[in-house]
Amino acid sequence: RRTALKQIGAAVAVGAIAGGSQAAEQKPAKQPMGFCLNTGTIRGQKLGIVKEVEIAAKAGYKAIEPWIGSIRSYQAKGGSLRDPRKRISDLGLAAPSAIGFASWISDDDAKRAKGLKDLAGDMELVKQIGGTGIAAAPAGVGRTPIKDLWAIAKRYRAALDLGDKTGVPPLLEIWGPSNTLSRIGQALFVAAESGHPKASVLLDVYHIYKGGSDFSGLKFLGPDAM
């Protein structure tokens, strides 16, 4: 992992500094990029979104990536989303992404239609807590891989159009263990061929490695694409 980080350091730093995202604005002055806590790493403790926000700030992070499930759980228990929004703001954090599992990519028309509806709802939740983006991962594909990248590009475009309406753009995420959209090259193709100016990719170090891509592939990405 140290070797991988050395290889991608320059590319990621450029993306974080020049990308113009809320996370970049929260970048510590003496660091080349900002760091965002994926709250999936502490999901097992079942702390709730407000406590997760507080832990992220206490640990020194400048941004947080909450799970949609945590937001919905807080709301289902009667909580107002104004509270986590205020907490995020008061602690000087950004929420540049959130993790959901809407099946926007599915080959099944009915499942995909429901997935886009779910994605729109997730975007609204993210917006209510002050978030500015949401991960669009290859969720709900099943055992049969989707091999038609042109079709995926068209579906990602539909997700991006939803982002235009909600103000929360979807970030195309690769999943290393997935049988669909697991490599950098696939994500680059889909993002480019979506034909949307806000298309971007979300590339986790673990998922790049797990999917078998070489980190040198990041040189094809400019700062506005990450």
Side-chain angles (χ1 to χ4, degrees):
R1 182 161 289 195
R2 285 198 191 103
T3 301
L5 286 171
K6 287 178 183 177
Q7 289 177 316
I8 68 171
V12 174
V14 170
I17 293 170
S21 69
Q22 189 176 3
E25 293 169 6
Q26 296 294 324
K27 177 187 69 67
K30 295 183 179 180
Q31 294 179 0
M33 56 187 173
F35 291 88
C36 180
L37 175 64
N38 176 337
T39 59
T41 60
I42 54 175
R43 279 187 77 228
Q45 282 65 42
K46 300 180 180 179
L47 302 170
I49 185 170
V50 173
K51 189 65 176 177
E52 289 171 347
V53 168
E54 293 172 352
I55 286 175
K58 188 175 181 179
Y61 287 95
K62 294 298 182 181
I64 186 170
E65 185 183 34
W67 281 47
I68 293 296
S70 294
I71 301 174
R72 290 194 183 280
S73 177
Y74 182 82
Q75 193 177 45
K77 293 176 182 177
S80 168
L81 296 186
R82 289 192 298 268
D83 297 333
R85 181 188 183 114
K86 185 176 186 303
R87 202 74 185 119
I88 289 171
S89 177
D90 289 348
L91 291 172
L93 298 177
S97 181
I99 302 170
F101 299 94
S103 300
W104 61 274
I105 197 174
S106 177
D107 266 339
D108 183 276
D109 292 343
K111 187 175 181 180
R112 187 169 65 256
K114 182 181 182 302
L116 286 171
K117 184 177 180 180
D118 292 341
L119 181 60
D122 292 347
M123 289 173 171
E124 290 294 344
L125 288 178
V126 172
K127 187 175 182 178
Q128 288 185 56
I129 66 166
T132 56
I134 186 170
V141 172
R143 295 183 179 180
T144 304
I146 302 173
K147 298 181 179 180
D148 188 349
L149 293 180
W150 288 104
I152 296 176
K154 184 177 180 180
R155 294 165 193 175
Y156 180 45
R157 174 59 188 252
L160 286 161
D161 289 341
L162 278 181
D164 286 340
K165 295 177 181 178
T166 62
V168 180
L171 319 173
L172 188 67
E173 183 179 20
I174 63 170
W175 275 356
S178 174
N179 60 17
T180 299
L181 210 61
S182 62
R183 300 180 68 90
I184 293 174
Q186 293 170 320
L188 292 178
F189 180 95
V190 170
E193 295 302 334
S194 68
H196 194 287
K198 291 185 179 179
S200 60
V201 293
L202 180 57
L203 302 173
D204 183 291
V205 172
Y206 164 78
H207 285 299
I208 293 174
Y209 172 77
K210 191 69 174 177
S213 291
D214 193 288
F215 287 92
S216 62
L218 292 175
K219 70 181 180 182
F220 295 103
L221 282 162
D224 291 333
M226 288 195 284

